[in-house]
Amino acid sequence: MRQSRALEIWVGAFVAAGLAALLMLAMKVSNITSYAQGDGYRISAAFENIGGLTVRAPVRIAGVRIGRVSDIQYDSESFQAVVTMRIDSRYDFLPADTSASILTDGLLGENYIGLEPGGEEETLGDGDRIEITQSALVLEKLIGQFLFSRSQGDDQ
Amino acid sequence: MIALTLQRMGRWALERLERLGRSNLFLLHVVPGLPGLLARPGLVVQQTFAIGVLSLPIVVVAGLFVGMVLALQLYNTMVDFGAEQSLGPVVALSLVRELGPVVTALLFAGRAGSALAAEIGLMKATEQLSSMEMMAVDPLRRIVAPRLAGGIISLPLLSAIFSAVGISGGFLVATGLLGVDSNAYWSQMRANVDLFDDLANGVIKSVVFGVVVTWIAVFEGYDAAPTSEGVARATTRTVVNSSLAVLGLDFILTALMFGDDT
Amino acid sequence: MADGSSLVEIRGLRFAYSGRTIFDGIDIDIRRGGVTAIMGPSGTGKTTLLRLIGGQEQPASGSVRVDGMEVSRLSRRQLYELRKRMGMLFQSGALLTDLSVFDNVAFPLREHTRLPEEMIRDLVLIKLQAVGLRGARDLMPAALSGGMARRVALARAIALDPMVIMYDEPFSGQDPISMGVLVKLIREINDALGMTTIIVSHDVHETAAIADYLYLLSEGRVVEHGTPDELQRAGSRWTRQFLNGLPDGPVPFHYPAPEFGVELLEPGSSR
Ligand SMILES: Nc1ncnc2c1ncn2[C@@H]1O[C@H](COP(=O)(O)OP(=O)(O)OP(=O)(O)O)[C@@H](O)[C@H]1O
Ligand SMILES: [Mg+2]
């Protein structure tokens, strides 16, 4: 019990180092910032087919990540997938006629939502819906369409 | 002949089950002693030193090298696919999800678990535990509980340090040796490592491993035959059983945590 | 010395280690305030008897009562309360190897009392002075000789001034001088503090000199009991052989085994 002071200092330093490591992992390594900025706004878009899109997939404009997919629901009335995105609040200039499409990062990469700004003065706000959407390119469908049009072309 | 083999297998299985039962009972007796430790933090501090601080050097060195080797190996593969920009996230995900908790737990079992088992086993062999009981001091509370607490505190912290050091080691190799852009390393990482899905799950794993490895170590020590051979067997058992437990649990936890998404 | 009533009362005690009978129905009374010695050949179960009194082993049948309480029926908490009033000197000393001599003696005080550190220091030094090891207080147990370690353990056993103290072989490994001091010390502690003492020992003369009452155990039974004088005068052949340390007689020196000659002639019977 005599060397307890040095011991306590060591243990204190150890616990501090462990917590510092956790903090570094959270701040520098993980996406905590995207959770921290909870003050962004939400917009939604309906798609015929979302392919392999998942919650937390990035939302990009001109290749820059401006938000993430926060929710995906199936609307049984319109038979469409409704995707909700959270957009960082500093990107509040999206024109109302912005279009959304589901794209793929590289040939085999993850799906993300690409936004294409339109020309209107009015901008999108919290809860608004993007009207112009383009579904994911599903490879099987593409091939199917390609073969179909080929065979029709042959007929004529 | 076949009957004999079956009988042996049956006996083996029954013995395992019996040990498992005993270790559960043991834990049941130790856990009520944990809250009492709040009144005597000195005991836990002492054990956190012996278990955690003294395991720090090996964990830091191992973390550094694992991170550096990971970066080198992955880069060589990824560069063929033009994906070297993703080096950061891949290194970070491997460490945070798997290697950090698992490798640290394995090192911990070898470094701290074996020492715990040997210490407690030897205390038993030299009648120190008996004499404590006769002094009306419950060894489960005075000896076992602080060690269990120290281990449960130490392993998650050690795992975090391992991962952080490993990611930094990977960074050194990636930017210094391989010429990956340092901004890309960090920003790609931040874009792909999720606070909850990856980091928090990794931390949960290391907490589970901390409980299991320390539990096995103190149980084996306490359950050791009070002879030098008994202590030696307890030490070996600790390392073997806790390593197997870590690997098995890791598979189960991974399946539970990361199974449904991605 | 003894005021008649029994502090420890053992009736019809039976006990076995994995099938091997150690006690086969013994009755023992330890008188309050007296020094009672338990003697018997090595391996008869004297240490086991102390462990039964301390509640570390459970009797197969029969009863062990300490201060009116049936030890095997006590709840954990009651047992620990009882043990606070018992001191035990282990045959091996059993010092805590990661604590210094001082901290070992202070251990029960620190665990069970809230005394200020200065008072603990004084108490510890008094106990260490009594066993002649005040100067060794900063040594670690590994740096002690066997006899010294046992004396430290003795100081630790009396640290809380218990109601009953059990010594398992306190004299073995002591030189004649410290042996003499210890014999006197044990008697003095007993009388000054009004304790009850149970002493297990092979040192016939020393033990007979301080014991008020002797029990001789052999092969699971009480062979004889009485005051030292009675046993010396009126004891059986067995008793006299044991007390005088004669090699030949009814007391077996060997652990039970088949006849030596028979075993030597049997070809490869064991292993
Ligand atoms: N844990 C145990 N398991 C099985 N048998 C034991 C155990 N402990 C002691 N024994 C046996 O019980 C018998 C009595 O042991 P005990 O230690 O009580 O003897 P003792 O009278 O104290 O002998 P000594 O005078 O040599 O110290 C011995 O024959 C020993 O072989
Ligand atoms: Mg003995």
Side-chain angles (χ1 to χ4, degrees):
Chain A
M1 325 222 155
R2 236 154 281 164
Q3 333 90 330
S4 66
R5 244 182 76 80
L7 211 94
E8 277 166 11
I9 292 173
W10 267 109
V11 171
F14 167 59
V15 173
L19 294 181
L22 266 181
L23 197 72
M24 173 215 160
L25 292 177
M27 302 303 293
K28 277 204 83 130
V29 174
S30 88
N31 58 353
I32 192 172
T33 43
S34 75
Y35 285 96
Q37 302 170 344
D39 54 338
Y41 62 99
R42 280 160 206 285
I43 55 179
S44 60
F47 295 92
E48 294 290 340
N49 190 325
I50 57 167
L53 191 76
T54 58
V55 171
R56 257 191 286 285
V59 177
R60 297 199 176 124
I61 192 161
V64 180
R65 197 184 67 74
I66 62 163
R68 280 179 181 279
V69 173
S70 62
D71 188 39
I72 299 175
Q73 295 289 339
Y74 178 65
D75 179 356
S76 46
E77 284 180 6
S78 61
F79 306 114
Q80 284 188 320
V82 178
V83 176
T84 312
M85 299 158 251
R86 230 216 40 251
I87 310 294
D88 295 354
S89 50
R90 58 192 151 132
Y91 304 111
D92 55 357
F93 49 79
L94 297 177
D97 59 345
T98 297
S99 63
S101 35
I102 295 175
L103 305 170
T104 306
D105 202 3
L107 191 56
L108 298 169
E110 63 171 355
N111 282 131
Y112 67 94
I113 294 188
L115 298 184
E116 194 74 36
E120 272 198 35
E121 290 282 302
E122 221 177 310
T123 59
L124 287 170
D126 194 42
D128 287 350
R129 173 168 286 216
I130 294 177
E131 298 299 344
I132 314 161
T133 62
Q134 186 184 5
S135 286
L137 294 179
V138 179
L139 214 54
E140 296 91 317
K141 270 195 183 171
L142 278 182
I143 295 171
Q145 274 170 7
F146 175 67
L147 293 178
F148 183 65
S149 62
R150 273 288 294 270
S151 60
Q152 281 198 328
D154 287 349
D155 286 351
Q156 287 167 4
Chain B
M1 186 63 212
I2 291 171
L4 195 72
T5 320
L6 278 177
Q7 186 194 350
R8 287 226 180 97
M9 277 168 60
R11 186 182 309 151
W12 183 86
L14 285 178
E15 273 168 16
R16 291 297 117 140
L17 270 178
E18 195 237 320
R19 280 187 76 75
L20 193 66
R22 255 187 304 146
S23 66
N24 278 306
L25 273 179
F26 172 79
L27 192 66
L28 222 61
H29 281 113
V30 176
V31 167
L34 290 177
L37 291 173
L38 292 177
R40 302 186 65 179
L43 291 179
V44 182
V45 167
Q46 212 173 342
Q47 292 311 320
T48 310
F49 181 83
I51 296 168
V53 176
L54 296 185
S55 303
L56 209 48
I58 186 173
V59 165
V60 169
V61 172
L64 188 68
F65 280 104
V66 167
M68 297 198 312
V69 169
L70 212 54
L72 270 179
Q73 288 283 9
L74 288 172
Y75 180 83
N76 286 337
T77 315
M78 293 172 81
V79 81
D80 293 343
F81 298 97
E84 67 269 25
Q85 294 304 319
S86 296
L87 187 61
V90 176
V91 168
L93 284 177
S94 325
L95 281 166
V96 168
R97 282 179 164 198
E98 285 296 329
L99 295 174
V102 172
V103 175
T104 315
L106 294 177
L107 292 172
F108 185 82
R111 165 67 185 72
S114 58
L116 276 179
E119 189 189 16
I120 296 179
L122 214 58
M123 288 181 97
K124 185 179 186 192
T126 54
E127 292 192 302
Q128 295 185 53
L129 298 184
S130 269
S131 77
M132 252 184 219
E133 279 178 15
M134 282 306 297
M135 286 188 277
V137 175
D138 186 351
L140 291 181
R141 293 178 182 208
R142 180 62 173 70
I143 299 294
V144 175
R147 284 167 173 76
L148 190 64
I152 295 175
I153 294 172
S154 295
L155 188 49
L157 294 175
L158 288 170
S159 288
I161 292 173
F162 183 97
S163 295
V165 170
I167 289 170
S168 310
F171 172 77
L172 291 181
V173 169
T175 56
L177 217 58
L178 306 172
V180 174
D181 179 51
S182 100
N183 263 331
Y185 189 84
W186 293 116
S187 67
Q188 287 281 330
M189 207 145 71
R190 269 199 295 271
N192 287 283
V193 180
D194 188 75
L195 181 65
F196 293 102
D197 282 353
D198 303 316
L199 188 55
N201 279 344
V203 172
I204 290 173
K205 271 188 183 179
S206 68
V207 172
V208 172
F209 295 161
V211 173
V212 169
V213 173
T214 326
W215 171 23
I216 292 179
V218 291
F219 171 71
E220 290 294 350
Y222 199 81
D223 199 55
T227 59
S228 23
E229 198 209 352
V231 175
R233 285 169 59 110
T235 319
T236 313
R237 275 222 195 97
T238 299
V239 176
V240 173
N241 290 358
S242 54
S243 305
L244 291 179
V246 164
L247 295 172
L249 275 173
D250 181 53
F251 177 76
I252 295 172
L253 289 175
T254 306
L256 286 181
M257 290 169 168
F258 306 119
D260 50 326
D261 59 32
T262 320
Chain C
M1 268 314 117
D3 64 7
S5 72
S6 302
L7 182 70
V8 180
E9 222 178 68
I10 297 173
R11 290 288 173 269
L13 173 68
R14 275 168 217 279
F15 179 81
Y17 271 126
S18 44
R20 223 187 103 220
T21 304
I22 306 294
F23 297 122
D24 192 12
I26 58 170
D27 300 330
I28 289 180
D29 284 284
I30 310 285
R31 261 155 268 193
R32 225 177 259 279
V35 176
T36 305
I38 314 269
M39 307 184 84
S42 183
T44 37
K46 303 178 297 294
T47 301
T48 310
L49 182 67
L50 296 186
R51 292 172 65 84
L52 280 157
I53 296 174
Q56 291 196 310
E57 303 283 358
Q58 300 294 318
S61 71
S63 80
V64 177
R65 303 173 78 83
V66 177
D67 201 19
M69 290 176 285
E70 178 67 49
V71 174
S72 59
R73 298 255 170 75
L74 295 180
S75 73
R76 251 182 70 80
R77 169 160 303 178
Q78 289 169 319
L79 183 60
Y80 274 83
E81 279 307 313
L82 177 65
R83 282 178 183 166
K84 280 186 197 168
R85 299 191 286 147
M86 292 177 156
M88 172 141 168
L89 170 65
F90 276 70
Q91 196 162 0
S92 62
L95 296 177
L96 306 177
T97 45
D98 57 342
L99 299 180
S100 69
V101 165
F102 182 95
D103 290 331
N104 258 288
V105 180
F107 183 81
L109 295 167
R110 288 186 176 137
E111 292 292 325
H112 293 312
T113 69
R114 298 205 170 277
L115 296 176
E117 197 56 27
E118 304 90 65
M119 198 176 288
I120 287 183
R121 192 187 114 93
D122 293 348
L123 284 173
V124 171
L125 292 185
I126 291 170
K127 307 291 178 192
L128 281 176
Q129 173 75 6
V131 296
L133 289 174
R134 187 166 48 87
R137 61 170 174 264
D138 291 327
L139 294 183
M140 294 306 279
L144 300 176
S145 74
M148 286 161 83
R150 198 152 310 132
R151 279 190 278 158
V152 174
L154 198 158
R156 184 179 69 175
I158 58 176
L160 282 172
D161 295 337
M163 151 186 90
V164 51
I165 182 154
M166 303 186 268
Y167 301 99
D168 198 350
E169 313 272 4
F171 306 130
S172 63
Q174 303 296 341
D175 61 72
I177 299 172
S178 42
M179 177 108 100
V181 173
L182 281 188
V183 170
K184 251 183 73 200
L185 179 68
I186 289 177
R187 185 77 234 187
E188 276 171 8
I189 294 172
N190 184 76
D191 297 350
L193 299 172
M195 278 181 200
T196 301
T197 303
I198 306 172
I199 182 167
V200 164
S201 175
H202 293 303
D203 297 275
V204 177
H205 295 289
E206 286 72 18
T207 311
I210 54 166
D212 300 314
Y213 209 81
L214 288 179
Y215 277 92
L216 294 189
L217 299 183
S218 180
E219 296 174 31
R221 299 184 170 279
V222 174
V223 180
E224 198 121 27
H225 58 101
T227 63
D229 280 351
E230 283 169 12
L231 291 192
Q232 281 291 0
R233 263 184 287 115
S236 64
R237 213 158 66 80
W238 194 101
T239 313
R240 266 171 290 138
Q241 187 213 342
F242 184 77
L243 293 182
N244 298 320
L246 306 174
D248 287 316
V251 182
F253 162 67
H254 294 287
Y255 193 90
E259 277 299 318
F260 193 37
V262 176
E263 192 158 5
L264 281 182
L265 291 176
E266 261 174 62
S269 58
S270 59
R271 301 273 144 131

